[in-house]
Amino acid sequence: MQAKKRVIVVGGGFGGINAAKTLQNCKDLDITILDQRNHHLFQPLLYQVAMAGLSPAEIACPIRSLFRTKKNVSVFLAKVTEVDLKNKKVKTAAGEFAFDYCVLACGANSSYFGNTDWEQFAPGLKTIEQATEMRRRVLMAFERAESTRDREAQRYYLTFVVVGGGPTGVELAGAIGEISKFTLDKDFRNIDPGRTRIILIEAGERILQSFDPQLSRKACRALEKLGVQVWTSSKVSKISKDGVVVGDEFLRAKTVLWAAGVGPAELSSGIDCPKDRQGRIKVEPDLSLPGHSDVFCIGDQAHTLDRDQKPLPGLAPVAIQQGRHVGKLIIDDLKGKDRQPFQYWDKGALATIGRKSAVMQVGKLKSFGFFAWLVWLFVHIFYLIGFRNRMAVFWQWAWHYVSYARGARLIIHKSWRMFDKKD
Amino acid sequence: MQAKKRVIVVGGGFGGINAAKTLQNCKDLDITILDQRNHHLFQPLLYQVAMAGLSPAEIACPIRSLFRTKKNVSVFLAKVTEVDLKNKKVKTAAGEFAFDYCVLACGANSSYFGNTDWEQFAPGLKTIEQATEMRRRVLMAFERAESTRDREAQRYYLTFVVVGGGPTGVELAGAIGEISKFTLDKDFRNIDPGRTRIILIEAGERILQSFDPQLSRKACRALEKLGVQVWTSSKVSKISKDGVVVGDEFLRAKTVLWAAGVGPAELSSGIDCPKDRQGRIKVEPDLSLPGHSDVFCIGDQAHTLDRDQKPLPGLAPVAIQQGRHVGKLIIDDLKGKDRQPFQYWDKGALATIGRKSAVMQVGKLKSFGFFAWLVWLFVHIFYLIGFRNRMAVFWQWAWHYVSYARGARLIIHKSWRMFDKKD
């Protein structure tokens, strides 16, 4: 009997999970998923956690529970420190894992364009920890404004800056607009949350650049209705605890959220392969690393091209399709079949602005408004992994929609200790 | 026109919220609630958050949203540093608040009997931050055990010690038993979670001492069925990162949870009044402070007696009834009526062991088993403040009951920062 081939999947995001799901029923394989977190995260809804609409557990589920009945799939909570391409080994703090095939699906990191000290003043949105930190900052700003009578201080606390006009930035800014206009409107006595100042800053000429210019314009109008000022062609040159410098202007703001740059996954730096400007690994048409046909790189960690030789965007559907493709390739390899190049099937793109409008672009079809929002809602709930989460999110949303309530308005402190106050 | 009387309520727990709710429709009063957290917490279910059964937001809601339509009620997120009884002022970092009436409802703290350094090794369970820390530790222990092949290390990771055999300790130990036996049983490959060792340590002669001895015995048997070893008459003399010293025995354990001592609220130390051994303020029969008829102290912060001159337990129903009583007294004062002494109406006590059994004692009626568990379930869901939470918890529970799943199995790291690793 031939020994089982060992597949290591690094990363339990959309790419990694879908690769493992495609392989899980193949009896000739031993599959190991390594991730430094215990949960798979439905990242497209992470902004809802940051904006107190959903609880973390509603968009996350333990990776191991996704594979509990599949005895040939193991999951380890371990941070991968190195991929040794030559000796075909993955190194972690918990030991080494030898592989026959390796799938790298580590995603991407936020990038502050070299200014990593900005992070403390402007958290990014990639993890649950960051989302609850954003939530804490946004809710605390309203609380602080309420407890002072100083008008200038109130203005400082009630100014929110979102840097980056892509889908995440638009979703964050729109959600802050909604919270202040509808959710919190009756909750405060000294301040009028409706007067909150929200500024969305985009370095390019328009927001939502991956969409049609007409949709960008409509999204811009929708944001303005929610009280968001959209500043395009504006570049942030400094972020400090007092606010943001944009061109020659200083914006005094307590809360700054970062939705701008995407940088390389930490692990990528140790892998000796050609990369693009964002640090993504340039892979072969079959998604393998150049010169290493048994190591694949997918999702946000990889630089891949569509039919017109344009780079594919960092979206969940790309990672999902690539994960499945790699899974099929490995099975094909075992059967001795030829490898097929990866082709992305573009199902379109969606971004939501508040709770009843969205932009949608599917091929030539463009849509804006309530219909696009319904499509957005349906797609997101449908794709949420796990039945329970799907139902919970649906109920949460239905309730949220009817009542304007936000159920997860918790300010959670950083320290849990009572007798060691560093909070 | 007479000026409005100012009522300050310190603390948004069961006592404070119920006092404010009783007063909220009284037009002659200006009510201010001060709390260092933005949420009211349904503490009886906090152990469910610690044990990954519920999300924090499902048992907490913002205090201000409870009073959003009541314009004469203000809420400030502020830590009270001092109560100046003489000048009738409450001092906070956000300024001073003068009062005509003050209701102190700060609850209690965990107590380590002078060994505050034990806290880092054995978190208590009073706040959401502590509950998520417990959850992190329990889930991490299983992950660590899975990623080692060293039998001794596995044993260390898979030993859980719960200190304190009151309702909280029993509920925690029972829940760990259930998680390991049912929820995680198929999730791991290297370890058998069913072999987890759980030890419940109680200094007294029996667990659940507030219940009938017969019920204690039955609870003990039910815990043993879930794999919990119950050690009574056992006193912890040391806790370190390696484990617990009990008598002359050293118990090697990675995870220790503290459900033993209750100590005074921080604020109590600055108040010059007679206190009991646990640091609770001894109040007059009408719940006012001796010599200060316009300052009340209720709930876990107060020492009060029942008809037989026995101290009342630190339970939610006591705090709720006391909050309402104080509210009525203040309204009676305004009307010039005489004050009535507080009388506790004992509705009985409940504690649950796992997901289908509980102990119940209502006057002479004692019950153990599934019926008691149903009563427990009904009572807890019924009393959860806020419709949405009630429904969410009900769904969560129904699903949890049918599937043995635990929806909130998230390990959340302490630091949110990516470029400053101190995690």
Side-chain angles (χ1 to χ4, degrees), chain A residues 64 68 70 109 119 129 143 183 187 388 396 399 413 418, chain B residues 64 68 109 119 129 143 183 187 189 388 396 399 413 418:
Chain A
R64 51 176 81 259
R68 67 192 317 242
K70 305 296 173 180
N109 220 327
E119 190 192 25
E129 290 83 356
E143 295 293 339
T183 310
D187 277 20
R388 193 198 67 84
Q396 189 88 352
W399 176 244
H413 293 265
M418 299 214 155
Chain B
R64 51 177 82 258
R68 68 193 316 243
N109 220 327
E119 190 192 26
E129 290 83 355
E143 295 292 340
T183 310
D187 277 19
R189 304 292 175 255
R388 194 199 67 85
Q396 189 87 351
W399 175 242
H413 293 265
M418 299 213 156

PDB file of all heavy atoms in Angstrom, chain A residues 64 68 70 109 119 129 143 183 187 388 396 399 413 418, chain B residues 64 68 109 119 129 143 183 187 189 388 396 399 413 418:
ATOM      1  N   ARG A  64     -11.829  23.808  13.395  1.00  0.00           N
ATOM      2  CA  ARG A  64     -11.911  22.356  13.576  1.00  0.00           C
ATOM      3  C   ARG A  64     -13.334  21.829  13.542  1.00  0.00           C
ATOM      4  O   ARG A  64     -13.550  20.679  13.190  1.00  0.00           O
ATOM      5  CB  ARG A  64     -11.168  21.879  14.812  1.00  0.00           C
ATOM      6  CG  ARG A  64     -11.428  22.534  16.112  1.00  0.00           C
ATOM      7  CD  ARG A  64     -10.640  21.831  17.253  1.00  0.00           C
ATOM      8  NE  ARG A  64      -9.252  22.237  17.359  1.00  0.00           N
ATOM      9  CZ  ARG A  64      -8.218  21.541  16.903  1.00  0.00           C
ATOM     10  NH1 ARG A  64      -8.416  20.379  16.316  1.00  0.00           N
ATOM     11  NH2 ARG A  64      -7.003  21.987  17.033  1.00  0.00           N
ATOM     12  N   ARG A  68     -14.998  18.316  11.667  1.00  0.00           N
ATOM     13  CA  ARG A  68     -15.017  17.385  12.789  1.00  0.00           C
ATOM     14  C   ARG A  68     -15.255  15.931  12.381  1.00  0.00           C
ATOM     15  O   ARG A  68     -14.722  15.019  12.993  1.00  0.00           O
ATOM     16  CB  ARG A  68     -16.017  17.831  13.857  1.00  0.00           C
ATOM     17  CG  ARG A  68     -17.474  17.782  13.462  1.00  0.00           C
ATOM     18  CD  ARG A  68     -18.317  18.521  14.500  1.00  0.00           C
ATOM     19  NE  ARG A  68     -17.901  18.212  15.863  1.00  0.00           N
ATOM     20  CZ  ARG A  68     -18.674  17.633  16.771  1.00  0.00           C
ATOM     21  NH1 ARG A  68     -19.905  17.289  16.464  1.00  0.00           N
ATOM     22  NH2 ARG A  68     -18.225  17.389  17.987  1.00  0.00           N
ATOM     23  N   LYS A  70     -14.341  14.588   9.523  1.00  0.00           N
ATOM     24  CA  LYS A  70     -13.370  14.140   8.527  1.00  0.00           C
ATOM     25  C   LYS A  70     -12.071  13.750   9.219  1.00  0.00           C
ATOM     26  O   LYS A  70     -11.243  14.595   9.543  1.00  0.00           O
ATOM     27  CB  LYS A  70     -13.106  15.262   7.510  1.00  0.00           C
ATOM     28  CG  LYS A  70     -14.361  15.790   6.843  1.00  0.00           C
ATOM     29  CD  LYS A  70     -15.028  14.704   5.996  1.00  0.00           C
ATOM     30  CE  LYS A  70     -16.367  15.202   5.474  1.00  0.00           C
ATOM     31  NZ  LYS A  70     -17.047  14.204   4.657  1.00  0.00           N
ATOM     32  N   ASN A 109      -2.240  41.618   4.970  1.00  0.00           N
ATOM     33  CA  ASN A 109      -2.173  42.433   6.170  1.00  0.00           C
ATOM     34  C   ASN A 109      -2.601  43.850   5.811  1.00  0.00           C
ATOM     35  O   ASN A 109      -2.650  44.204   4.640  1.00  0.00           O
ATOM     36  CB  ASN A 109      -0.710  42.439   6.619  1.00  0.00           C
ATOM     37  CG  ASN A 109      -0.586  42.332   8.117  1.00  0.00           C
ATOM     38  OD1 ASN A 109      -1.441  42.840   8.828  1.00  0.00           O
ATOM     39  ND2 ASN A 109       0.445  41.680   8.577  1.00  0.00           N
ATOM     40  N   GLU A 119      -0.579  52.860  13.165  1.00  0.00           N
ATOM     41  CA  GLU A 119      -1.559  51.839  13.525  1.00  0.00           C
ATOM     42  C   GLU A 119      -2.247  52.128  14.852  1.00  0.00           C
ATOM     43  O   GLU A 119      -3.459  51.977  14.981  1.00  0.00           O
ATOM     44  CB  GLU A 119      -0.906  50.459  13.578  1.00  0.00           C
ATOM     45  CG  GLU A 119      -1.947  49.350  13.710  1.00  0.00           C
ATOM     46  CD  GLU A 119      -1.360  47.997  14.060  1.00  0.00           C
ATOM     47  OE1 GLU A 119      -0.277  47.940  14.659  1.00  0.00           O
ATOM     48  OE2 GLU A 119      -2.012  46.992  13.742  1.00  0.00           O
ATOM     49  N   GLU A 129     -10.185  40.983  16.752  1.00  0.00           N
ATOM     50  CA  GLU A 129      -9.619  41.866  17.771  1.00  0.00           C
ATOM     51  C   GLU A 129      -9.650  43.312  17.286  1.00  0.00           C
ATOM     52  O   GLU A 129      -9.976  44.229  18.045  1.00  0.00           O
ATOM     53  CB  GLU A 129      -8.174  41.461  18.090  1.00  0.00           C
ATOM     54  CG  GLU A 129      -8.030  40.141  18.843  1.00  0.00           C
ATOM     55  CD  GLU A 129      -8.059  38.930  17.926  1.00  0.00           C
ATOM     56  OE1 GLU A 129      -8.276  39.083  16.705  1.00  0.00           O
ATOM     57  OE2 GLU A 129      -7.868  37.808  18.425  1.00  0.00           O
ATOM     58  N   GLU A 143     -19.484  58.419  24.158  1.00  0.00           N
ATOM     59  CA  GLU A 143     -19.577  58.512  25.620  1.00  0.00           C
ATOM     60  C   GLU A 143     -18.758  59.697  26.140  1.00  0.00           C
ATOM     61  O   GLU A 143     -19.202  60.443  27.013  1.00  0.00           O
ATOM     62  CB  GLU A 143     -19.076  57.213  26.279  1.00  0.00           C
ATOM     63  CG  GLU A 143     -19.905  55.979  26.001  1.00  0.00           C
ATOM     64  CD  GLU A 143     -21.301  56.041  26.622  1.00  0.00           C
ATOM     65  OE1 GLU A 143     -21.502  56.815  27.568  1.00  0.00           O
ATOM     66  OE2 GLU A 143     -22.189  55.316  26.139  1.00  0.00           O
ATOM     67  N   THR A 183     -29.469  55.074  15.379  1.00  0.00           N
ATOM     68  CA  THR A 183     -29.392  54.210  16.554  1.00  0.00           C
ATOM     69  C   THR A 183     -29.250  55.012  17.841  1.00  0.00           C
ATOM     70  O   THR A 183     -29.909  54.740  18.832  1.00  0.00           O
ATOM     71  CB  THR A 183     -28.194  53.247  16.429  1.00  0.00           C
ATOM     72  OG1 THR A 183     -28.255  52.636  15.152  1.00  0.00           O
ATOM     73  CG2 THR A 183     -28.247  52.187  17.508  1.00  0.00           C
ATOM     74  N   ASP A 187     -30.413  58.503  22.605  1.00  0.00           N
ATOM     75  CA  ASP A 187     -29.720  57.933  23.759  1.00  0.00           C
ATOM     76  C   ASP A 187     -28.931  58.937  24.582  1.00  0.00           C
ATOM     77  O   ASP A 187     -28.565  58.650  25.708  1.00  0.00           O
ATOM     78  CB  ASP A 187     -28.749  56.836  23.300  1.00  0.00           C
ATOM     79  CG  ASP A 187     -29.460  55.506  23.102  1.00  0.00           C
ATOM     80  OD1 ASP A 187     -30.688  55.545  22.953  1.00  0.00           O
ATOM     81  OD2 ASP A 187     -28.804  54.460  23.107  1.00  0.00           O
ATOM     82  N   ARG A 388     -26.161  27.644  11.785  1.00  0.00           N
ATOM     83  CA  ARG A 388     -26.541  28.427  12.942  1.00  0.00           C
ATOM     84  C   ARG A 388     -26.236  29.897  12.731  1.00  0.00           C
ATOM     85  O   ARG A 388     -27.040  30.771  12.977  1.00  0.00           O
ATOM     86  CB  ARG A 388     -25.802  27.934  14.177  1.00  0.00           C
ATOM     87  CG  ARG A 388     -26.358  28.462  15.479  1.00  0.00           C
ATOM     88  CD  ARG A 388     -25.361  28.298  16.585  1.00  0.00           C
ATOM     89  NE  ARG A 388     -24.224  29.170  16.335  1.00  0.00           N
ATOM     90  CZ  ARG A 388     -24.191  30.451  16.667  1.00  0.00           C
ATOM     91  NH1 ARG A 388     -25.193  30.983  17.283  1.00  0.00           N
ATOM     92  NH2 ARG A 388     -23.151  31.188  16.370  1.00  0.00           N
ATOM     93  N   GLN A 396     -30.799  38.688  13.476  1.00  0.00           N
ATOM     94  CA  GLN A 396     -30.165  39.928  13.907  1.00  0.00           C
ATOM     95  C   GLN A 396     -30.496  41.042  12.921  1.00  0.00           C
ATOM     96  O   GLN A 396     -30.884  42.142  13.298  1.00  0.00           O
ATOM     97  CB  GLN A 396     -28.652  39.680  13.930  1.00  0.00           C
ATOM     98  CG  GLN A 396     -27.851  40.769  14.557  1.00  0.00           C
ATOM     99  CD  GLN A 396     -27.736  40.552  16.052  1.00  0.00           C
ATOM    100  OE1 GLN A 396     -28.376  39.670  16.600  1.00  0.00           O
ATOM    101  NE2 GLN A 396     -26.948  41.369  16.692  1.00  0.00           N
ATOM    102  N   TRP A 399     -34.216  42.083  12.831  1.00  0.00           N
ATOM    103  CA  TRP A 399     -34.517  42.887  14.005  1.00  0.00           C
ATOM    104  C   TRP A 399     -33.905  44.282  13.903  1.00  0.00           C
ATOM    105  O   TRP A 399     -34.553  45.292  14.148  1.00  0.00           O
ATOM    106  CB  TRP A 399     -34.011  42.153  15.252  1.00  0.00           C
ATOM    107  CG  TRP A 399     -34.171  42.921  16.515  1.00  0.00           C
ATOM    108  CD1 TRP A 399     -33.184  43.369  17.327  1.00  0.00           C
ATOM    109  CD2 TRP A 399     -35.394  43.350  17.109  1.00  0.00           C
ATOM    110  NE1 TRP A 399     -33.712  44.045  18.382  1.00  0.00           N
ATOM    111  CE2 TRP A 399     -35.065  44.060  18.272  1.00  0.00           C
ATOM    112  CE3 TRP A 399     -36.754  43.220  16.747  1.00  0.00           C
ATOM    113  CZ2 TRP A 399     -36.025  44.627  19.095  1.00  0.00           C
ATOM    114  CZ3 TRP A 399     -37.707  43.788  17.575  1.00  0.00           C
ATOM    115  CH2 TRP A 399     -37.347  44.476  18.727  1.00  0.00           C
ATOM    116  N   HIS A 413     -13.343  46.384  27.724  1.00  0.00           N
ATOM    117  CA  HIS A 413     -12.045  46.926  28.102  1.00  0.00           C
ATOM    118  C   HIS A 413     -10.935  45.989  27.689  1.00  0.00           C
ATOM    119  O   HIS A 413     -11.157  44.817  27.429  1.00  0.00           O
ATOM    120  CB  HIS A 413     -12.006  47.179  29.607  1.00  0.00           C
ATOM    121  CG  HIS A 413     -12.936  48.260  30.035  1.00  0.00           C
ATOM    122  ND1 HIS A 413     -12.536  49.558  30.184  1.00  0.00           N
ATOM    123  CD2 HIS A 413     -14.253  48.254  30.301  1.00  0.00           C
ATOM    124  CE1 HIS A 413     -13.561  50.303  30.547  1.00  0.00           C
ATOM    125  NE2 HIS A 413     -14.624  49.530  30.629  1.00  0.00           N
ATOM    126  N   MET A 418      -8.797  42.787  37.690  1.00  0.00           N
ATOM    127  CA  MET A 418      -9.370  43.764  38.599  1.00  0.00           C
ATOM    128  C   MET A 418      -8.307  44.349  39.502  1.00  0.00           C
ATOM    129  O   MET A 418      -8.392  45.464  39.950  1.00  0.00           O
ATOM    130  CB  MET A 418     -10.398  43.093  39.494  1.00  0.00           C
ATOM    131  CG  MET A 418     -11.533  42.506  38.704  1.00  0.00           C
ATOM    132  SD  MET A 418     -13.044  42.640  39.635  1.00  0.00           S
ATOM    133  CE  MET A 418     -14.226  42.629  38.317  1.00  0.00           C
TER     134      MET A 418
ATOM    135  N   ARG B  64     -27.753  53.016  28.481  1.00  0.00           N
ATOM    136  CA  ARG B  64     -28.519  54.166  27.988  1.00  0.00           C
ATOM    137  C   ARG B  64     -29.677  53.771  27.088  1.00  0.00           C
ATOM    138  O   ARG B  64     -30.671  54.489  27.006  1.00  0.00           O
ATOM    139  CB  ARG B  64     -27.642  55.237  27.341  1.00  0.00           C
ATOM    140  CG  ARG B  64     -26.662  54.835  26.292  1.00  0.00           C
ATOM    141  CD  ARG B  64     -25.947  56.087  25.717  1.00  0.00           C
ATOM    142  NE  ARG B  64     -24.837  56.567  26.506  1.00  0.00           N
ATOM    143  CZ  ARG B  64     -24.886  57.613  27.327  1.00  0.00           C
ATOM    144  NH1 ARG B  64     -26.002  58.307  27.432  1.00  0.00           N
ATOM    145  NH2 ARG B  64     -23.845  57.978  28.028  1.00  0.00           N
ATOM    146  N   ARG B  68     -33.722  55.224  26.904  1.00  0.00           N
ATOM    147  CA  ARG B  68     -33.613  56.194  25.812  1.00  0.00           C
ATOM    148  C   ARG B  68     -34.813  57.130  25.710  1.00  0.00           C
ATOM    149  O   ARG B  68     -34.659  58.291  25.350  1.00  0.00           O
ATOM    150  CB  ARG B  68     -33.342  55.499  24.476  1.00  0.00           C
ATOM    151  CG  ARG B  68     -34.456  54.657  23.924  1.00  0.00           C
ATOM    152  CD  ARG B  68     -33.922  53.792  22.778  1.00  0.00           C
ATOM    153  NE  ARG B  68     -33.064  54.555  21.879  1.00  0.00           N
ATOM    154  CZ  ARG B  68     -33.340  54.769  20.587  1.00  0.00           C
ATOM    155  NH1 ARG B  68     -34.433  54.302  20.050  1.00  0.00           N
ATOM    156  NH2 ARG B  68     -32.499  55.446  19.833  1.00  0.00           N
ATOM    157  N   ASN B 109     -16.834  42.555  44.349  1.00  0.00           N
ATOM    158  CA  ASN B 109     -15.644  42.190  43.611  1.00  0.00           C
ATOM    159  C   ASN B 109     -15.298  40.737  43.948  1.00  0.00           C
ATOM    160  O   ASN B 109     -15.793  40.194  44.922  1.00  0.00           O
ATOM    161  CB  ASN B 109     -14.512  43.105  44.093  1.00  0.00           C
ATOM    162  CG  ASN B 109     -13.645  43.561  42.959  1.00  0.00           C
ATOM    163  OD1 ASN B 109     -13.457  42.825  41.999  1.00  0.00           O
ATOM    164  ND2 ASN B 109     -13.132  44.759  43.071  1.00  0.00           N
ATOM    165  N   GLU B 119      -4.750  36.223  41.129  1.00  0.00           N
ATOM    166  CA  GLU B 119      -5.701  36.546  40.069  1.00  0.00           C
ATOM    167  C   GLU B 119      -5.178  36.206  38.679  1.00  0.00           C
ATOM    168  O   GLU B 119      -5.904  35.668  37.846  1.00  0.00           O
ATOM    169  CB  GLU B 119      -6.082  38.031  40.111  1.00  0.00           C
ATOM    170  CG  GLU B 119      -7.243  38.345  39.181  1.00  0.00           C
ATOM    171  CD  GLU B 119      -7.463  39.837  38.964  1.00  0.00           C
ATOM    172  OE1 GLU B 119      -6.507  40.616  39.100  1.00  0.00           O
ATOM    173  OE2 GLU B 119      -8.599  40.211  38.632  1.00  0.00           O
ATOM    174  N   GLU B 129     -15.096  40.962  30.295  1.00  0.00           N
ATOM    175  CA  GLU B 129     -13.672  40.792  29.992  1.00  0.00           C
ATOM    176  C   GLU B 129     -13.139  39.527  30.655  1.00  0.00           C
ATOM    177  O   GLU B 129     -12.377  38.763  30.056  1.00  0.00           O
ATOM    178  CB  GLU B 129     -12.868  42.003  30.493  1.00  0.00           C
ATOM    179  CG  GLU B 129     -13.099  43.292  29.713  1.00  0.00           C
ATOM    180  CD  GLU B 129     -14.335  44.052  30.167  1.00  0.00           C
ATOM    181  OE1 GLU B 129     -15.081  43.546  31.036  1.00  0.00           O
ATOM    182  OE2 GLU B 129     -14.571  45.156  29.655  1.00  0.00           O
ATOM    183  N   GLU B 143      -6.399  23.304  22.681  1.00  0.00           N
ATOM    184  CA  GLU B 143      -5.551  23.478  21.492  1.00  0.00           C
ATOM    185  C   GLU B 143      -4.101  23.105  21.800  1.00  0.00           C
ATOM    186  O   GLU B 143      -3.430  22.448  21.012  1.00  0.00           O
ATOM    187  CB  GLU B 143      -5.605  24.932  20.996  1.00  0.00           C
ATOM    188  CG  GLU B 143      -6.972  25.386  20.483  1.00  0.00           C
ATOM    189  CD  GLU B 143      -7.386  24.685  19.199  1.00  0.00           C
ATOM    190  OE1 GLU B 143      -6.517  24.149  18.496  1.00  0.00           O
ATOM    191  OE2 GLU B 143      -8.599  24.660  18.915  1.00  0.00           O
ATOM    192  N   THR B 183     -19.234  18.491  23.192  1.00  0.00           N
ATOM    193  CA  THR B 183     -19.000  19.450  22.128  1.00  0.00           C
ATOM    194  C   THR B 183     -17.717  19.154  21.359  1.00  0.00           C
ATOM    195  O   THR B 183     -17.683  19.205  20.144  1.00  0.00           O
ATOM    196  CB  THR B 183     -18.913  20.875  22.709  1.00  0.00           C
ATOM    197  OG1 THR B 183     -20.038  21.080  23.559  1.00  0.00           O
ATOM    198  CG2 THR B 183     -18.931  21.911  21.606  1.00  0.00           C
ATOM    199  N   ASP B 187     -13.668  16.700  17.649  1.00  0.00           N
ATOM    200  CA  ASP B 187     -12.921  17.789  17.015  1.00  0.00           C
ATOM    201  C   ASP B 187     -11.416  17.595  17.022  1.00  0.00           C
ATOM    202  O   ASP B 187     -10.706  18.270  16.292  1.00  0.00           O
ATOM    203  CB  ASP B 187     -13.231  19.119  17.702  1.00  0.00           C
ATOM    204  CG  ASP B 187     -14.516  19.732  17.176  1.00  0.00           C
ATOM    205  OD1 ASP B 187     -15.313  18.972  16.587  1.00  0.00           O
ATOM    206  OD2 ASP B 187     -14.716  20.933  17.341  1.00  0.00           O
ATOM    207  N   ARG B 189      -7.713  15.166  17.135  1.00  0.00           N
ATOM    208  CA  ARG B 189      -7.151  13.935  16.591  1.00  0.00           C
ATOM    209  C   ARG B 189      -6.152  13.290  17.548  1.00  0.00           C
ATOM    210  O   ARG B 189      -6.077  12.082  17.645  1.00  0.00           O
ATOM    211  CB  ARG B 189      -6.460  14.221  15.244  1.00  0.00           C
ATOM    212  CG  ARG B 189      -7.364  14.870  14.196  1.00  0.00           C
ATOM    213  CD  ARG B 189      -8.464  13.941  13.696  1.00  0.00           C
ATOM    214  NE  ARG B 189      -9.375  14.628  12.790  1.00  0.00           N
ATOM    215  CZ  ARG B 189     -10.610  15.015  13.135  1.00  0.00           C
ATOM    216  NH1 ARG B 189     -11.075  14.783  14.347  1.00  0.00           N
ATOM    217  NH2 ARG B 189     -11.386  15.622  12.263  1.00  0.00           N
ATOM    218  N   ARG B 388     -34.902  41.476  22.321  1.00  0.00           N
ATOM    219  CA  ARG B 388     -34.007  40.884  21.344  1.00  0.00           C
ATOM    220  C   ARG B 388     -33.093  39.839  21.986  1.00  0.00           C
ATOM    221  O   ARG B 388     -32.925  38.734  21.511  1.00  0.00           O
ATOM    222  CB  ARG B 388     -33.140  41.951  20.693  1.00  0.00           C
ATOM    223  CG  ARG B 388     -32.425  41.475  19.443  1.00  0.00           C
ATOM    224  CD  ARG B 388     -31.268  42.382  19.143  1.00  0.00           C
ATOM    225  NE  ARG B 388     -30.276  42.252  20.177  1.00  0.00           N
ATOM    226  CZ  ARG B 388     -29.337  41.320  20.201  1.00  0.00           C
ATOM    227  NH1 ARG B 388     -29.252  40.461  19.221  1.00  0.00           N
ATOM    228  NH2 ARG B 388     -28.475  41.243  21.189  1.00  0.00           N
ATOM    229  N   GLN B 396     -30.357  30.391  20.573  1.00  0.00           N
ATOM    230  CA  GLN B 396     -29.034  29.856  20.855  1.00  0.00           C
ATOM    231  C   GLN B 396     -29.163  28.577  21.671  1.00  0.00           C
ATOM    232  O   GLN B 396     -28.559  27.554  21.368  1.00  0.00           O
ATOM    233  CB  GLN B 396     -28.271  30.920  21.651  1.00  0.00           C
ATOM    234  CG  GLN B 396     -26.830  30.631  21.846  1.00  0.00           C
ATOM    235  CD  GLN B 396     -25.992  31.144  20.694  1.00  0.00           C
ATOM    236  OE1 GLN B 396     -26.531  31.572  19.675  1.00  0.00           O
ATOM    237  NE2 GLN B 396     -24.702  31.075  20.832  1.00  0.00           N
ATOM    238  N   TRP B 399     -30.837  25.612  19.790  1.00  0.00           N
ATOM    239  CA  TRP B 399     -29.887  25.046  18.837  1.00  0.00           C
ATOM    240  C   TRP B 399     -28.796  24.254  19.566  1.00  0.00           C
ATOM    241  O   TRP B 399     -28.461  23.131  19.206  1.00  0.00           O
ATOM    242  CB  TRP B 399     -29.280  26.174  18.012  1.00  0.00           C
ATOM    243  CG  TRP B 399     -28.206  25.718  17.085  1.00  0.00           C
ATOM    244  CD1 TRP B 399     -26.908  26.103  17.100  1.00  0.00           C
ATOM    245  CD2 TRP B 399     -28.342  24.791  16.005  1.00  0.00           C
ATOM    246  NE1 TRP B 399     -26.213  25.459  16.108  1.00  0.00           N
ATOM    247  CE2 TRP B 399     -27.075  24.647  15.417  1.00  0.00           C
ATOM    248  CE3 TRP B 399     -29.406  24.052  15.479  1.00  0.00           C
ATOM    249  CZ2 TRP B 399     -26.839  23.814  14.342  1.00  0.00           C
ATOM    250  CZ3 TRP B 399     -29.167  23.214  14.405  1.00  0.00           C
ATOM    251  CH2 TRP B 399     -27.906  23.105  13.852  1.00  0.00           C
ATOM    252  N   HIS B 413      -7.557  37.110  20.929  1.00  0.00           N
ATOM    253  CA  HIS B 413      -6.261  37.490  21.486  1.00  0.00           C
ATOM    254  C   HIS B 413      -6.383  38.786  22.268  1.00  0.00           C
ATOM    255  O   HIS B 413      -7.334  39.538  22.113  1.00  0.00           O
ATOM    256  CB  HIS B 413      -5.237  37.633  20.371  1.00  0.00           C
ATOM    257  CG  HIS B 413      -4.915  36.327  19.718  1.00  0.00           C
ATOM    258  ND1 HIS B 413      -3.858  35.560  20.080  1.00  0.00           N
ATOM    259  CD2 HIS B 413      -5.558  35.643  18.750  1.00  0.00           C
ATOM    260  CE1 HIS B 413      -3.831  34.453  19.347  1.00  0.00           C
ATOM    261  NE2 HIS B 413      -4.866  34.477  18.531  1.00  0.00           N
ATOM    262  N   MET B 418      -1.177  44.625  14.917  1.00  0.00           N
ATOM    263  CA  MET B 418      -0.428  43.710  14.077  1.00  0.00           C
ATOM    264  C   MET B 418       1.050  44.052  14.085  1.00  0.00           C
ATOM    265  O   MET B 418       1.894  43.199  13.909  1.00  0.00           O
ATOM    266  CB  MET B 418      -0.912  43.832  12.636  1.00  0.00           C
ATOM    267  CG  MET B 418      -2.361  43.480  12.492  1.00  0.00           C
ATOM    268  SD  MET B 418      -2.632  42.726  10.901  1.00  0.00           S
ATOM    269  CE  MET B 418      -4.094  41.790  11.256  1.00  0.00           C
TER     270      MET B 418
END
